[in-house]
Amino acid sequence: MSEIFTGIPKIKYEGPKSRNPFAFKYYDAEKIILGKPMREHLPFAMAWWHNMCATGIDMFGKGTADKSFGVEKDTMEHARKKVDAAFEFMDKLGVEYFCFHDVDLIPEADSISETNKRLDEISDYIKVKMEQYGKKVLWGTANLFGNPRYMNGAGSSNSADVFCFAAAQIKKALDITVKLGGRGYVFWGGREGYETLLNTDMKFELENIAALMHLAVDYGRSIGFDGDFYIEPKPKEPMKHQYDYDTATAIGFLKQYGLDRDFKINVEANHATLAGHTFRHELRVAAINGMLGSIDANQGDLLLGWDTDEFPFDIYETTMCMYEVLMAGGFKNGGLNFDAKNRRPSYTYEDMFHAFILGMDAYALGLIKAAAIIEDGRIDSFINERYASYESGIGAKIRAGEATLEELSEYAEKLGKPALPSSGRQEYLESIVNSVLFS
Ligand code: XUL
Ligand code: CO
């Protein structure tokens, strides 16, 4: 098999002083951080759709990047070439995992049975490559938003026939995920939402989405899938309102419909900011509910109101993300999927590598700095001390659930007037973070 990314070497760690554009400055796979090698803290994954398929098409113009890899596009030969390219790419970068939608892997045929045949064929080919290169599937999913039949959603569609097509795609995507040993299965409800309540039965649609997820869980478990199902929240785009608005909404939904034992959350950074939250907020909400599953590692642009899917470069963000991940005990089945794309004018093969080097280094540095914040200890101990009034006396009684409203009222009356709570010291804490980041 001939090399596709010719002239691009295996990317190695050279350290922060290196000026080599094809070297890591911070990602040193075997370096031990808090007792574990970096590569275990940071299970990086390549998103098949952005990296192997997307060419930079936008609403105003054609693609700029050539992803034909030298053969005719939308053929099975092209599908195989993408596999060759993907494994060479992951191998050169030391990326261990990948994520895919069904239709990223093959050209979708007119009939579902022909599409499924193509998926069987390509997954045989992928499986061989995975063994050869030692690569793994972080998660698989079905694209239930691209085909015109999903104009009104998949589980939430008004058409029962469309619901069945969604079920068929999910079944096959689960088959392939299990066949390839995938650790997760994602539901991103891009079209599970509405444009106007004038034509929408919201309760009916939510019940149907839950029913589809239950069918997926039952089937997945019956064929031996023991990984995590994920909801990937996003508030809007493409729909005006999406049901999985944010992490809190998705968790409420999962609990209401009895799906919370099988599902966790796949938090995407850019989706968090679209929902009006920080990335860190979404991670924390997932973590305190025991549902921090996986991460789509990208970055938005605060000046733009849509999902720009940039490669992450903001060290403050990656540090806070890794702080949340470390405090939650690290990843179990999840990882860091670069659901990110090169900017349209960065269209060459070299740019694809630069993007991953940027993202992997940004997360490696974030991990190093997050570990340093934890080891420094000042932030943690400040938070603990801030709630000290609950450690004894009336506070301890409240926490133990032993106080009554009358008792608390009497206590307050006796006190007359409480002292002001202790200072939040935000600026002091921010300066600690800066001093850890830049020391
Ligand atoms: C879209 C998005 C998806 C999901 C998988 O915003 O993030 O690519 O990650 O369907
Ligand atoms: Co995503």
Side-chain angles (χ1 to χ4, degrees), residues 33-45:
I33 305 280
L34 299 178
K36 238 173 40 176
M38 267 195 182
R39 72 180 155 71
E40 281 181 33
H41 280 292
L42 305 168
F44 290 126

Side-chain angles (χ1 to χ4, degrees), residues 321-357:
C321 169
M322 288 315 297
Y323 179 82
E324 294 297 327
V325 170
L326 289 172
M327 295 303 270
F331 292 109
K332 307 248 159 15
N333 287 323
L336 293 156
N337 169 43
F338 288 116
D339 190 356
K341 59 188 179 206
N342 283 95
R343 297 306 86 192
R344 195 164 175 267
S346 304
Y347 63 92
T348 69
Y349 285 166
E350 286 80 4
D351 291 305
M352 291 167 68
F353 282 84
H354 291 157
F356 270 69
I357 292 168

